[in-house]
Amino acid sequence: MATVTIRDVAREAKVSPGTVSRAMNDSPLVSEATRQRILEVVKTLNYSPNLTARKLSLGKTLTISVVLPFLTRPAYTERLNGVIATLNSSHYDLTIHAVQSPDQRDVIFQDVIHHKRSDGVLIISLPSKDSEVEFLSNAEIPIILIDAFHPELNMLDQVFIDDIEGGKMATRHLIEHGHKKIGYIGDIFDTPFRFSSSRDRYRGYRLALKDADIPFFDEYYAEDEHGRLEARHLALKMLNSNHPPTAIFAYSDTTAWGVMEAAQELGVKIPEDLSLIGFDDIELAEYLKLTTIHQPLFDSGQRGMELLLDKLESPQKNAVQEKQNIQLIIRQTTAPPK
Amino acid sequence: MATVTIRDVAREAKVSPGTVSRAMNDSPLVSEATRQRILEVVKTLNYSPNLTARKLSLGKTLTISVVLPFLTRPAYTERLNGVIATLNSSHYDLTIHAVQSPDQRDVIFQDVIHHKRSDGVLIISLPSKDSEVEFLSNAEIPIILIDAFHPELNMLDQVFIDDIEGGKMATRHLIEHGHKKIGYIGDIFDTPFRFSSSRDRYRGYRLALKDADIPFFDEYYAEDEHGRLEARHLALKMLNSNHPPTAIFAYSDTTAWGVMEAAQELGVKIPEDLSLIGFDDIELAEYLKLTTIHQPLFDSGQRGMELLLDKLESPQKNAVQEKQNIQLIIRQTTAPPK
DNA sequence: CGGTTTAATTAAACCGATTTAATTATACGG
DNA sequence: CCGTATAATTAAATCGGTTTAATTAAACCG
């Protein structure tokens, strides 16, 4: 079962390897007659070109790298699905680099971008450090940032939402219902992964409070690693305090889910005793009847990949920073306070 | 910014390219002095070897392919996570081939296995057709099947659960509560993707009924594409029929979720009016307090990847078929009938 | 009919590494 | 001091394609 090479085909078809190559790549420099003969031989020998050799010769990797956090949140999976769906029609391979720990993050960043493993890179939900700006902007291959906005990286294509605006939007909705005691439960700000959306949504929250002249109290802010259970703990504590909030803005739908569990545990009724708003609008949100801020997850992956493919086609094109729309989805977890 | 090649390093260090190669690959055939000198130059020139050239030269792709369905179910994502986590420590790249349509399935199977794009393949949740047995068993690279058991492919490593036993286990639990009118809601049997677990769980269900001398009625079986909404429709219909079941075995937790929605809609109380058992034990199941059959999802991916890495190390090793344990998790959706 | 295009094909260089075979330098033993 | 074993290095072949430059063959034209 020795592997068949282009030279075997050439010999059999009584032509040179170059001609075989051209025949297979639809070059107009081959006569129809020989092309047919060659394709015939290709079929009988069951020849298929060695991709590695092809890549080396072409000077391309025909590969796209995706760097994203370990798939622990539905939001990541959805974005990845958007990426995959869009790539599927092209001839590129997709290699994933899922970041599981902060050290890994840095290694992977360096590795993927520097070592020319791929023709282009998509970075999802992993914001860049300021110290990385230079090295990212000098990369020789196109890099697209999805949900990882950085203002100084405007030479890169970016797809993002305005988390500050989203935070405002959510908080305003609660305020409009008449709430004044509004808690925020979010992710750790200073995570080594550099996730920044919790910080931004919190900023929006504070801005909305300020706009409405509602004072902020420290006990209305709580943070921990992302997760349902973590959020449940934080919510239990906040709801059990002396001055429990009448509404909570949860950083994500998963966070909100944890809050709902806590409320249930304490016999706090939603939305009667507590209004709750989440963020993302994952599938679960509908089932939970959770009021939330919708952001396009699948679309962001799709759009990012489209931009990358564009860039690979025409590298000279200017980078675009594309802000995607977000939207308040009112369901049944928000109401005026009693 | 011309790319630095091994020849540049060689010239700068006043040695031949071969020596540079050896120095970088820790060959003992280089004196310590020259190795140091070379590594010095490597650093100043910021050289990193071209992976494609390396692969071609080594005759390896240093890549592992994962073929799996589009990530529409938490179970797929979990398995993939297991794969990723295990691979991460190795030096292989991971390329994903997510199957979105039946035609794609076949193309990808052929492509991935035949074209030597990778050193090994993991196939997840995509059972093989009988017509593929030969071509899979003749593959030149190792293939591992995860959740895609096929009895005739015993020359391949396989990681699987006994879905028939699982189906029995679930059904027996309902029977032990005293149920006799037990419905089954599952996936379409004859899906072009060849998913087979619904069929097997259904078989287990029938066997358990038979063992307990409980007659089966056609109206207690319903199938549709997998999904919460689809399951909801099926359940609505089944629960609204003249002889509604007192218990339902749902093919998956997601399916069970749909059934719960339907029950809620109809005012059918769980577990008082209807017992419900699911399958998989995804994160959501705990929240739903759903009684279910637990299967190791993350672990299956992990184990599959371990087996693959083993096989790549020592190809002569015998293939193993590894059955993983499943387990009844009793929560709050099952009870005796009224 | 000879010179010039044009079309089709071949030969050879190239992509950038690894590795085998050949070569040089060094050490060692009698 | 010479032959030989050993260590270190170089030169060249190789992996399997693509592509440029060179060559041949056929067509065209005045």
Side-chain angles (χ1 to χ4, degrees):
Chain A
M1 256 270 224
T3 46
V4 186
T5 75
I6 202 170
R7 275 158 241 271
D8 299 324
V9 176
R11 192 176 327 110
E12 195 71 20
K14 299 197 179 33
V15 292
S16 74
T19 306
V20 176
S21 172
R22 276 181 281 261
M24 297 208 59
N25 292 297
D26 296 316
S27 155
L29 297 177
V30 201
S31 72
E32 199 46 39
T34 43
R35 159 169 289 125
Q36 287 310 325
R37 183 155 42 93
I38 289 171
L39 294 182
E40 201 66 26
V41 175
V42 164
K43 199 171 261 175
T44 59
L45 293 187
N46 195 17
Y47 165 73
S48 71
N50 178 314
L51 278 186
T52 307
R54 185 141 197 275
K55 289 169 181 179
L56 177 58
S57 186
L58 290 173
K60 294 182 179 181
T61 65
L62 300 179
T63 295
I64 287 173
S65 294
V66 183
V67 186
L68 81 179
F70 209 50
L71 301 174
T72 47
R73 307 189 196 180
Y76 302 150
T77 307
E78 267 310 289
R79 288 206 169 91
L80 179 59
N81 265 334
V83 165
I84 294 174
T86 312
L87 182 67
N88 240 328
S89 48
S90 91
H91 57 283
Y92 287 96
D93 273 342
L94 189 72
T95 85
I96 359 182
H97 306 263
V99 175
Q100 289 179 80
S101 70
D103 328 344
Q104 249 196 12
R105 194 207 98 105
D106 296 352
V107 175
I108 291 180
F109 259 59
Q110 288 287 339
D111 201 50
V112 167
I113 287 151
H114 180 247
H115 283 17
K116 297 221 181 131
R117 302 159 150 281
S118 44
D119 296 341
V121 180
L122 284 163
I123 296 179
I124 303 181
S125 299
L126 291 167
S128 314
K129 308 178 188 175
D130 289 342
S131 60
E132 289 166 337
V133 166
E134 196 186 337
F135 126 84
L136 286 172
S137 33
N138 288 335
E140 318 84 343
I141 54 175
I143 299 174
I144 314 281
L145 306 179
I146 300 176
D147 184 38
F149 183 75
H150 195 297
E152 284 175 49
L153 287 170
N154 52 11
M155 70 297 296
L156 304 184
D157 287 294
Q158 305 197 40
V159 178
F160 63 99
I161 60 162
D162 187 337
D163 279 303
I164 299 184
E165 182 54 35
K168 273 194 200 172
M169 205 183 267
T171 312
R172 267 202 307 258
H173 174 64
L174 297 172
I175 293 173
E176 280 164 10
H177 269 312
H179 290 280
K180 299 210 182 309
K181 299 193 265 179
I182 302 175
Y184 178 88
I185 294 188
D187 260 22
I188 296 182
F189 276 3
D190 266 315
T191 150
F193 285 110
R194 314 282 315 160
F195 299 139
S196 64
S197 42
S198 182
R199 169 179 270 125
D200 286 343
R201 290 176 199 168
Y202 174 68
R203 276 191 195 141
Y205 156 85
R206 290 294 298 268
L207 287 172
L209 289 184
K210 200 171 161 198
D211 285 350
D213 284 324
I214 297 176
F216 166 76
F217 298 105
D218 276 341
E219 60 255 53
Y220 288 159
Y221 173 80
E223 66 167 32
D224 197 353
E225 308 245 322
H226 188 265
R228 177 172 58 94
L229 296 176
E230 289 80 357
R232 203 179 110 238
H233 286 303
L234 295 179
L236 281 174
K237 213 169 129 194
M238 195 181 282
L239 292 173
N240 264 334
S241 70
N242 293 334
H243 304 287
T246 62
I248 289 182
F249 168 25
Y251 157 71
S252 78
D253 291 345
T254 303
T255 307
W257 185 13
V259 175
M260 283 177 95
E261 285 189 298
Q264 200 177 350
E265 223 168 294
L266 296 175
V268 172
K269 280 200 184 127
I270 296 177
E272 294 83 355
D273 305 329
L274 178 73
S275 279
L276 177 64
I277 187 167
F279 208 109
D280 285 348
D281 197 22
I282 62 178
E283 191 189 359
L284 182 70
E286 195 194 332
Y287 176 75
L288 297 178
K289 308 214 169 26
L290 179 68
T291 296
T292 191
I293 305 293
H294 173 88
Q295 70 163 317
L297 294 169
F298 185 95
D299 284 3
S300 71
Q302 180 167 40
R303 194 65 196 116
M305 182 53 90
E306 282 171 7
L307 288 173
L308 181 51
L309 292 175
D310 266 12
K311 198 73 164 206
L312 290 170
E313 285 273 305
S314 28
Q316 75 292 348
K317 257 194 188 165
N318 276 356
V320 298
Q321 273 88 50
E322 218 170 280
K323 176 154 59 170
Q324 298 197 297
N325 287 327
I326 54 180
Q327 199 184 345
L328 173 67
I329 307 283
I330 300 177
R331 295 205 180 90
Q332 301 171 24
T333 56
T334 45
K338 279 207 279 210
Chain B
M1 249 284 215
T3 46
V4 185
T5 75
I6 201 170
R7 271 158 248 272
D8 298 326
V9 177
R11 192 176 327 111
E12 195 71 20
K14 299 198 175 34
V15 292
S16 75
T19 306
V20 175
S21 172
R22 276 181 282 262
M24 298 208 60
N25 292 297
D26 296 317
S27 156
L29 298 177
V30 201
S31 73
E32 198 46 38
T34 45
R35 159 169 290 122
Q36 286 311 326
R37 181 155 43 92
I38 289 171
L39 294 184
E40 200 65 27
V41 175
V42 164
K43 199 170 259 174
T44 59
L45 293 188
N46 195 17
Y47 165 73
S48 71
N50 177 315
L51 278 186
T52 307
R54 185 143 198 275
K55 289 170 180 177
L56 177 59
S57 185
L58 291 172
K60 292 181 180 181
T61 66
L62 301 180
T63 294
I64 287 174
S65 294
V66 183
V67 186
L68 81 176
F70 208 51
L71 301 174
T72 48
R73 306 190 197 180
Y76 302 149
T77 306
E78 266 310 288
R79 288 205 170 91
L80 179 59
N81 265 334
V83 165
I84 294 174
T86 313
L87 182 68
N88 240 328
S89 47
S90 89
H91 57 285
Y92 285 96
D93 272 342
L94 189 73
T95 84
I96 319 198
H97 306 264
V99 175
Q100 289 180 82
S101 73
D103 330 343
Q104 249 197 11
R105 195 207 97 107
D106 297 352
V107 175
I108 291 181
F109 259 60
Q110 289 288 337
D111 200 50
V112 166
I113 288 149
H114 180 248
H115 283 19
K116 297 222 181 128
R117 305 160 148 281
S118 46
D119 296 341
V121 179
L122 284 163
I123 296 180
I124 302 182
S125 298
L126 290 168
S128 314
K129 307 178 187 175
D130 290 341
S131 60
E132 289 167 337
V133 166
E134 196 186 335
F135 125 85
L136 286 172
S137 33
N138 289 335
E140 318 83 343
I141 53 175
I143 299 175
I144 314 281
L145 305 180
I146 299 176
D147 184 39
F149 182 74
H150 194 298
E152 285 174 49
L153 286 171
N154 53 11
M155 70 296 297
L156 303 185
D157 287 295
Q158 304 198 40
V159 177
F160 62 100
I161 60 162
D162 187 336
D163 279 302
I164 299 184
E165 182 53 36
K168 275 195 198 170
M169 205 183 265
T171 313
R172 268 203 305 261
H173 174 64
L174 297 172
I175 293 173
E176 280 164 9
H177 268 313
H179 290 280
K180 298 209 181 310
K181 299 193 266 181
I182 303 175
Y184 177 89
I185 293 187
D187 260 22
I188 296 181
F189 277 2
D190 267 317
T191 149
F193 286 109
R194 315 281 314 159
F195 299 139
S196 64
S197 42
S198 183
R199 169 180 268 125
D200 286 342
R201 290 175 198 169
Y202 175 68
R203 277 191 193 139
Y205 156 84
R206 291 295 298 268
L207 288 170
L209 289 184
K210 201 171 160 196
D211 285 350
D213 283 324
I214 297 176
F216 165 75
F217 297 105
D218 276 343
E219 62 256 51
Y220 288 159
Y221 173 80
E223 65 168 32
D224 198 352
E225 308 245 323
H226 187 266
R228 176 172 58 94
L229 296 177
E230 289 79 358
R232 203 180 110 236
H233 286 303
L234 295 178
L236 281 174
K237 214 169 129 192
M238 195 182 281
L239 293 173
N240 264 333
S241 71
N242 294 333
H243 304 285
T246 63
I248 288 182
F249 168 25
Y251 157 71
S252 78
D253 291 344
T254 304
T255 308
W257 184 15
V259 175
M260 285 178 93
E261 284 189 299
Q264 198 177 350
E265 221 166 298
L266 297 174
V268 173
K269 282 202 183 125
I270 295 177
E272 294 82 357
D273 306 329
L274 178 72
S275 279
L276 177 63
I277 187 167
F279 207 110
D280 285 346
D281 197 22
I282 59 178
E283 190 191 0
L284 181 70
E286 195 194 332
Y287 176 76
L288 298 177
K289 308 209 167 31
L290 179 68
T291 296
T292 191
I293 306 292
H294 172 89
Q295 70 163 317
L297 294 170
F298 185 95
D299 285 2
S300 71
Q302 179 167 41
R303 193 67 195 114
M305 182 54 89
E306 281 171 9
L307 288 173
L308 180 52
L309 293 175
D310 267 12
K311 199 71 163 210
L312 290 171
E313 285 272 304
S314 28
Q316 75 292 347
K317 257 196 187 164
N318 276 356
V320 298
Q321 272 88 50
E322 216 169 282
K323 176 154 59 172
Q324 299 198 294
N325 287 327
I326 54 180
Q327 199 186 344
L328 173 66
I329 306 285
I330 300 178
R331 294 204 181 91
Q332 300 172 27
T333 57
T334 48
K338 279 208 279 212

